[in-house]
Amino acid sequence: MNRTPVVSALRLYESIEALGRIGRYLDEASGLYGVNRLALTAQDGEGRRHVVAKMKSLGLAVTVDRIGNVYARRKGREDTLAPVMMGSHIDSVPTAGKFDGCLGVLGALEVMQALDDAQHVTRRPLVAAFFTDEEGSRFGSDMLGSSVATARIPLQTAYALRDRAGLSVQAELEAIGFLGETAEQLAPPFAYLECHIEQGPMLRREHIDIGVVTGVQSISWHEVTILGRSAHAGTTPMELRADASVAASRINLRLRQMALSGHYGEQLRATMGAMVPVPGLVNIVPGQMTVTVDLRNPSDVQMRRAEADIIAFYETVAAEEGVQIRWRQTARTSCVPFDAAFQDQIEAAAQRRGLSTRRIVSGAGHDAQELAHLTRAAMIFVPGEYDGISHNPRELSTPEQCANGVQVLLDVLLEIADAE
Ligand code: HGY
Ligand code: MN
Ligand code: MN
């Protein structure tokens, strides 16, 4: 090795800006440019081709599997050993910033460029990956590509998922040219590391440079269909109504009351992200509502209590409002701990660089929680400005914040990939 590999903050940030221009839109509310690269849309396809071109320009061997996960491999000195993998996602929610997921994928490629600059070949081969549809916003199941790669969700189940327009994952993968051929079940890497923005206020408020992620909290998603009776808004007396939107509103208020009550642990978070009325017109009592429920809890026990209570409340609302309520589980993951030794290594590597650290549970789901079922996995968080707002065009981490995280990723990667 000619010299210690060092991340280029400028090169990294320029790569984030370049990818951020794909699927860019002007957000009227903030006047900022946001990013909309919803999974398997043309914009996602363009973003994928942009990153694959970058991978190939680095001389990496690129493969695409049958669920569209992309892996880029860098040879190791002992190339038959299991690789150390780094990755994340480049699909986005429709109102995204430039950093969610992209930092981890472009950070992995920056690590490889820094190794090239230092003419360093690691003992183990390396893989930079991006996984399909981490967000789950379009097809309703988050961490889709990584959960297929780690056999939590069967390929055919994933293929059959459909968006609101009835388009399937399989058809949309084919439409963007990423219905790959390699087997989707991933051979276990030696280790998996993911650098990601915190997407919350903690690190920035406490002036912490690096979040050492201890694990991911549990996630539970419901899609709830409420069937009432459409009726004339002017002529129908209130007592004769079966108003689906009132039922939905009662459920939403109950979610907030549950989260604020502290009865399900101090950190239950509950969100009704989608509320779709039918017919959704001014002078018609909504006959149908489709809503989504997103529950998060760092305690599996408290999560199960919260789920049981909101499901019981669906029945109460149905009886009292004279509507029918059907619900289905669209995503469900338990709490996932990350590798304790890797956490210590991340903490030590950051502190050797004079960076402050703190342990932190991830509020958001990540591909790393799926890879943790297959291999030793860990995550490195970087702070975000504006209270770490995310899933919003205002999402912002500075060049220094990004470079700190990716440099720690590089340092820990070297320890793991060069260890005898
Ligand atoms: O929903 C999540 O936590 C992640 O952004 N997919
Ligand atoms: Mn993410
Ligand atoms: Mn996200």
Side-chain angles (χ1 to χ4, degrees):
M1 174 161 51
N2 294 358
R3 55 187 171 78
T4 308
V6 178
V7 160
S8 161
L10 179 61
R11 184 171 59 191
L12 170 64
Y13 216 71
E14 282 178 342
S15 69
I16 293 170
E17 295 279 9
L19 180 53
R21 285 191 284 273
I22 298 175
R24 187 170 80 165
Y25 74 95
L26 185 59
D27 177 64
E28 284 179 33
S30 62
L32 299 170
Y33 279 114
V35 173
N36 179 359
R37 286 199 306 273
L38 206 54
L40 309 188
T41 58
Q43 293 82 355
D44 183 26
E46 193 184 340
R48 285 166 163 261
R49 283 186 291 278
H50 171 85
V51 174
V52 167
K54 189 174 176 64
M55 290 168 161
K56 289 181 174 171
S57 72
L58 292 174
L60 303 172
V62 180
T63 56
V64 182
D65 76 9
R66 294 195 299 182
I67 192 63
N69 295 323
V70 175
Y71 301 103
R73 184 187 178 94
R74 184 179 194 262
K75 283 185 179 304
R77 295 196 309 273
E78 298 177 41
D79 207 41
T80 56
L81 292 176
V84 178
M85 183 177 284
M86 301 170 283
S88 194
H89 63 96
I90 59 170
D91 66 289
S92 82
V93 294
T95 57
K98 296 187 281 259
F99 302 86
D100 179 358
C102 303
L103 174 63
V105 176
L106 298 172
L109 296 180
E110 172 55 33
V111 162
M112 291 185 174
Q113 280 186 277
L115 292 171
D116 286 349
D117 295 348
Q119 296 172 329
H120 180 85
V121 179
T122 50
R123 176 175 175 246
R124 291 181 175 275
L126 306 179
V127 173
F130 64 78
F131 297 99
T132 294
D133 193 9
E134 186 277 342
E135 293 294 1
S137 311
R138 181 178 177 194
F139 297 99
S141 180
D142 56 355
M143 286 77 76
L144 186 65
S146 50
S147 55
V148 170
T150 56
R152 176 167 70 86
I153 294 180
L155 178 66
Q156 295 307 324
T157 303
Y159 274 168
L161 292 175
R162 293 181 183 277
D163 67 4
R164 284 186 188 150
L167 299 171
S168 73
V169 164
Q170 185 173 15
E172 292 296 274
L173 267 174
E174 184 137 39
I176 64 168
F178 277 89
L179 185 65
E181 292 173 353
T182 57
E184 68 284 353
Q185 298 225 345
L186 187 62
F190 179 73
Y192 177 82
L193 299 171
E194 182 168 353
C195 182
H196 203 287
I197 54 173
E198 177 203 345
Q199 300 180 288
M202 210 178 288
L203 297 179
R204 185 65 181 80
R205 280 186 182 174
E206 297 177 15
H207 303 288
I208 299 286
D209 299 313
I210 296 292
V212 181
V213 189
T214 56
V216 181
Q217 65 178 342
S218 59
I219 303 173
S220 178
W221 288 1
H222 292 169
E223 181 185 80
V224 184
T225 303
I226 303 169
L227 300 173
R229 188 174 51 254
S230 58
H232 193 296
T235 58
T236 311
M238 298 307 281
E239 68 276 11
L240 294 183
R241 295 181 179 204
D243 186 332
S245 73
V246 168
S249 304
R250 287 188 59 185
I251 292 168
N252 198 7
L253 288 172
R254 179 69 170 228
L255 287 170
R256 186 168 68 165
Q257 184 229 342
M258 285 169 64
L260 296 179
S261 70
H263 294 158
Y264 306 89
E266 286 310 307
Q267 291 161 34
L268 170 68
R269 290 178 181 146
T271 310
M272 185 175 282
M275 297 175 87
V276 182
V278 174
L281 297 172
V282 62
N283 59 353
I284 306 172
V285 176
Q288 179 179 326
M289 289 289 288
T290 302
V291 302
T292 57
V293 171
D294 177 322
L295 298 173
R296 310 282 174 119
N297 202 310
S299 156
D300 285 320
V301 171
Q302 298 288 16
M303 170 61 96
R304 285 192 291 272
R305 290 186 56 236
E307 287 177 306
D309 284 4
I310 196 63
I311 290 165
F313 189 68
Y314 296 159
E315 289 173 25
T316 302
V317 168
E320 292 177 359
E321 298 298 333
V323 298
Q324 290 177 56
I325 295 183
R326 295 196 303 258
W327 65 277
R328 67 189 182 93
Q329 189 89 49
T330 52
R332 181 65 169 91
T333 51
S334 299
C335 295
V336 175
F338 287 138
D339 184 274
F342 283 175
Q343 290 179 48
D344 294 344
Q345 282 180 260
I346 291 166
E347 190 169 72
Q351 290 171 358
R352 278 197 302 273
R353 294 242 172 226
L355 299 172
S356 55
T357 64
R358 67 156 283 165
R359 304 281 168 129
I360 183 171
V361 175
S362 175
H366 298 287
D367 293 309
Q369 71 185 86
E370 302 300 332
L371 274 289
H373 298 302
L374 198 63
T375 186
R376 297 172 65 197
M379 290 190 79
I380 299 159
F381 272 359
V382 304
E385 301 301 300
Y386 311 115
D387 268 341
I389 188 168
S390 183
H391 288 191
N392 180 299
R394 191 166 288 279
E395 178 185 280
L396 175 70
S397 292
T398 65
E400 185 189 13
Q401 290 164 341
C402 292
N404 284 342
V406 174
Q407 184 63 56
V408 171
L409 175 70
L410 171 51
D411 293 349
V412 175
L413 173 98
L414 278 178
E415 284 179 27
I416 297 168
D418 278 347
E420 291 298 329

